[in-house]
Amino acid sequence: MTSAPCPFRVNRIDLRVLPMRTRFPFRYGIASLVALPHLFVTVELEVNGQSVIGRTSEGLPPKWFTKDPSTPNELEVAGMLAVIQNAVRLATLHGREPVTWYPLVRQLAAEQKLWASRHDYPPLLWNLGISLVERALLDALCRAWQQPLHTVLRGPALGIRWSELHPSLADEEIPPFLAVPPVSQIALRHTVGLADPLTTADVPPSEEVSDGLPHTLDDCIRAYGLRYFKIKLSGNLEADRHRLASVASVIRQHASPDFSATLDGNENFRDLAAFREWFEALTKTPELKDFMPHVLWIEQPLHRDAALNPDLATAFRNWPEAPRLIIDESDGESGALTTALELGYSGGSHKNCKGILKGLTNAATIHAFRAAHPERDFILSGEDLANVGPIPLTQDLAMQALLGISHVERNGHHYFRGLSMYPDEMDVSKATLAAHPDLYHQLLDGLVTLNIRDGFIAIDSVNQAPFGTAAEPVLDQLPTVKEWILQGGLGALEG
């Protein structure tokens, strides 16, 4: 790795699709996920005269990026593919001549925003395209220099101008919010979806899952030693009272007494007054009296259209005993987290689907607010988009570790069956297990899945690998996006 910004050329970018199905439905907000396309992005760069390959991938879940109940799933995925393909077009265009990672990503984001504004794509959606391109480029550069993410991001080769991410930072200094060394183990915050069964009694015979992995919440707690939970709620007071009381009962019965939980508001409320009424009613529910003190924060209770309304500043001041609230889906535009913190929110989240530079900017913002307001408790959480291995999971973990986040929502291993969704010819399971013997293990039936011990996963191998993973799956046999569409892939998506 050089001691100065290192230019490269973009030779090609390839998009391929692998359809995946969940073990059982994952209900989040208005959607119930049973199948989705998993998109692989492969870039070929020329770095110092040498050709190098970089990869990233992401599941494309309908409804999360837009939360529009009226749009068919196939149109939702078509929109995701459109913003990704435009980001690829821009990267290919501007990467013909020597470029550096940071200036290129900034240019792509500016032009993508302008393009998206003409097509009515929301920031959270068009940022997805940028995030996939920047991750694939970053993976290639880490491999070219044979350095892990935490080393590359601390060095000058990417050309990052830290002062442009936040004025409190100096370009020539390593940002103080980057963990040294990166976190070596992370606790899983287990997702409890709106339809997840809590005990065997909740599972109808027609919906039983017998695939060697735990299905119900009580079985998951026993099998994995879970101590952190993320519980999705509907916004309907009576339904949420019953659901949360049932979840709390299972957690208290099976988990360690020092468990912690977060609640996902799923954008269910249109104003803070309605949310406050709902929350205060929950806290007065006798069955939840001993549970609510374990709640660390509530994620995105207000719909994104109302979550950053300037009037919220007064509403927050008039509710000094409010729980800690963070934004997630509202974190689309640049500066959204700053606006949220100024209004009275306690923080935001990092997930790679929002972008690497976005995550670094948010971490810098939280760091600056902590310095300026030591009396307040600010949060940078780690959330999930059903990341599966080997690529999106490990790349996200590498970023979470670098940001020093100690517990992260992880649910890809729960809603998908380990690495079983990959065809044998891709050689994913064997290669991933060899590359990450601390993160993965093999069950007696041969399934390779996450190795969760006492609620934690070990990620030393993630921190040592180029951008999280040393595994390089063979993708040539997968259909391109065009081939997948012509094969009827969009029409096969289920609601």
Side-chain angles (χ1 to χ4, degrees):
M1 191 166 64
T2 67
S3 58
C6 181
F8 58 87
R9 284 188 174 90
V10 179
N11 291 338
R12 67 178 179 89
I13 304 180
D14 183 50
L15 303 179
R16 294 180 181 266
V17 178
L18 175 65
M20 292 186 179
R21 295 191 64 85
T22 61
R23 299 172 59 219
F24 56 93
F26 175 19
R27 186 179 167 205
Y28 54 94
I30 63 174
S32 186
L33 183 69
V34 296
L36 82 170
H38 193 89
L39 182 73
F40 290 88
V41 181
T42 301
V43 300
E44 180 188 344
L45 305 185
E46 181 184 322
V47 186
N48 296 326
Q50 301 294 317
S51 175
V52 61
I53 299 296
R55 300 173 183 83
T56 195
S57 69
E58 190 84 74
L60 304 182
K63 304 301 179 189
W64 188 81
F65 289 95
T66 60
K67 295 290 176 72
D68 184 350
S70 65
T71 308
N73 282 354
E74 58 266 29
L75 291 184
E76 291 262 343
V77 174
M80 291 185 229
L81 292 173
V83 299
I84 294 165
Q85 289 170 320
N86 191 67
V88 167
R89 178 185 67 83
L90 292 172
T92 304
L93 174 66
H94 295 299
R96 291 173 181 169
E97 299 299 324
V99 290
T100 305
W101 184 81
Y102 172 76
L104 176 60
V105 173
R106 295 274 287 194
Q107 182 177 20
L108 298 183
E111 295 190 18
Q112 178 91 328
K113 178 179 180 179
L114 181 63
W115 171 84
S117 67
R118 298 196 296 264
H119 294 81
D120 200 30
Y121 290 124
L124 198 65
L125 179 55
W126 62 252
N127 263 320
L128 173 65
I130 300 301
S131 78
L132 282 162
V133 170
E134 70 174 341
R135 280 182 270 161
L137 296 174
L138 189 54
D139 183 65
L141 294 172
C142 287
R143 292 179 187 278
W145 301 321
Q146 283 299 295
Q147 296 288 341
L149 178 71
H150 61 89
T151 299
V152 170
L153 278 178
R154 289 192 180 95
L158 298 177
I160 298 176
R161 297 187 60 84
W162 296 103
S163 62
E164 293 179 356
L165 299 187
H166 198 278
S168 66
L169 301 178
D171 288 333
E172 66 278 4
E173 296 179 4
I174 297 174
F177 55 80
L178 298 181
V180 183
V183 175
S184 63
Q185 66 170 5
I186 287 180
L188 273 75
R189 189 151 32 89
H190 178 83
T191 303
V192 184
L194 287 166
D196 285 14
L198 307 184
T199 68
T200 303
D202 300 324
V203 185
S206 61
E207 298 179 12
E208 289 181 356
V209 177
S210 301
D211 61 1
L213 295 179
H215 179 198
T216 61
L217 176 60
D218 58 349
D219 281 346
C220 288
I221 295 173
R222 287 190 291 262
Y224 300 138
L226 301 173
R227 58 188 71 197
Y228 288 90
F229 304 87
K230 172 174 173 171
I231 305 162
K232 291 185 173 289
L233 298 172
S234 69
N236 178 288
L237 177 58
E238 291 310 312
D240 287 339
R241 268 179 168 159
H242 176 74
R243 177 67 170 175
L244 193 55
S246 298
V247 171
S249 176
V250 172
I251 292 175
R252 282 196 300 263
Q253 182 178 350
H254 298 285
S256 171
D258 61 350
F259 73 88
S260 296
T262 65
L263 306 182
D264 188 350
N266 279 309
E267 303 186 75
N268 286 313
F269 301 92
R270 290 286 174 172
D271 58 69
L272 197 65
F275 167 72
R276 179 175 181 174
E277 180 179 356
W278 173 90
F279 178 78
E280 290 180 342
L282 279 186
T283 60
K284 295 175 183 176
T285 302
E287 296 89 342
L288 297 175
K289 179 181 178 182
D290 295 331
F291 178 82
M292 295 305 289
H294 291 266
V295 174
L296 301 176
W297 63 75
I298 301 176
E299 175 190 337
Q300 193 75 38
L302 303 188
H303 191 275
R304 67 190 71 178
D305 292 343
L308 300 182
N309 189 317
D311 294 341
L312 283 172
T314 300
F316 273 115
R317 284 196 298 270
N318 292 337
W319 191 15
E321 67 279 11
R324 298 189 296 175
L325 306 183
I326 70 170
I327 62 168
D328 185 25
E329 289 92 339
S330 290
D331 190 18
E333 287 278 17
S334 175
L337 181 58
T338 297
T339 299
L341 299 179
E342 290 173 344
L343 288 174
Y345 285 91
S346 294
S349 67
H350 173 75
K351 53 179 70 169
N352 275 4
C353 68
K354 294 181 182 179
I356 302 301
L357 284 183
K358 180 75 168 175
L360 294 171
T361 301
N362 282 356
T365 300
I366 293 289
H367 178 78
F369 268 79
R370 283 171 176 161
H373 303 279
E375 75 284 0
R376 291 176 62 184
D377 188 9
F378 295 102
I379 301 161
L380 182 63
S381 77
E383 306 301 329
D384 200 1
L385 199 65
N387 282 325
V388 298
I391 298 176
L393 175 67
T394 52
Q395 289 183 348
D396 190 76
L397 285 171
M399 270 298 292
Q400 304 285 0
L402 182 58
L403 296 175
I405 298 175
S406 60
H407 62 89
V408 179
E409 180 199 7
R410 295 284 79 137
N411 59 52
H413 66 283
H414 180 51
Y415 295 109
F416 297 88
R417 186 174 182 263
L419 300 178
S420 66
M421 67 286 294
Y422 295 103
D424 291 342
E425 57 267 27
M426 289 183 67
D427 194 30
V428 169
S429 292
K430 182 179 178 181
T432 302
L433 183 61
H436 302 283
D438 54 348
L439 180 63
Y440 282 90
H441 66 162
Q442 189 170 34
L443 303 185
L444 293 177
D445 64 358
L447 176 69
V448 175
T449 189
L450 277 187
N451 184 18
I452 307 167
R453 301 293 179 89
D454 295 325
F456 287 84
I457 50 175
I459 56 171
D460 278 336
S461 65
V462 169
N463 291 330
Q464 294 165 8
F467 200 3
T469 181
E472 301 181 56
V474 178
L475 306 176
D476 292 348
Q477 74 275 22
L478 296 180
T480 65
V481 167
K482 182 178 180 179
E483 291 169 342
W484 176 72
I485 292 174
L486 290 175
Q487 292 167 6
L490 284 174
L493 295 170
E494 299 180 39

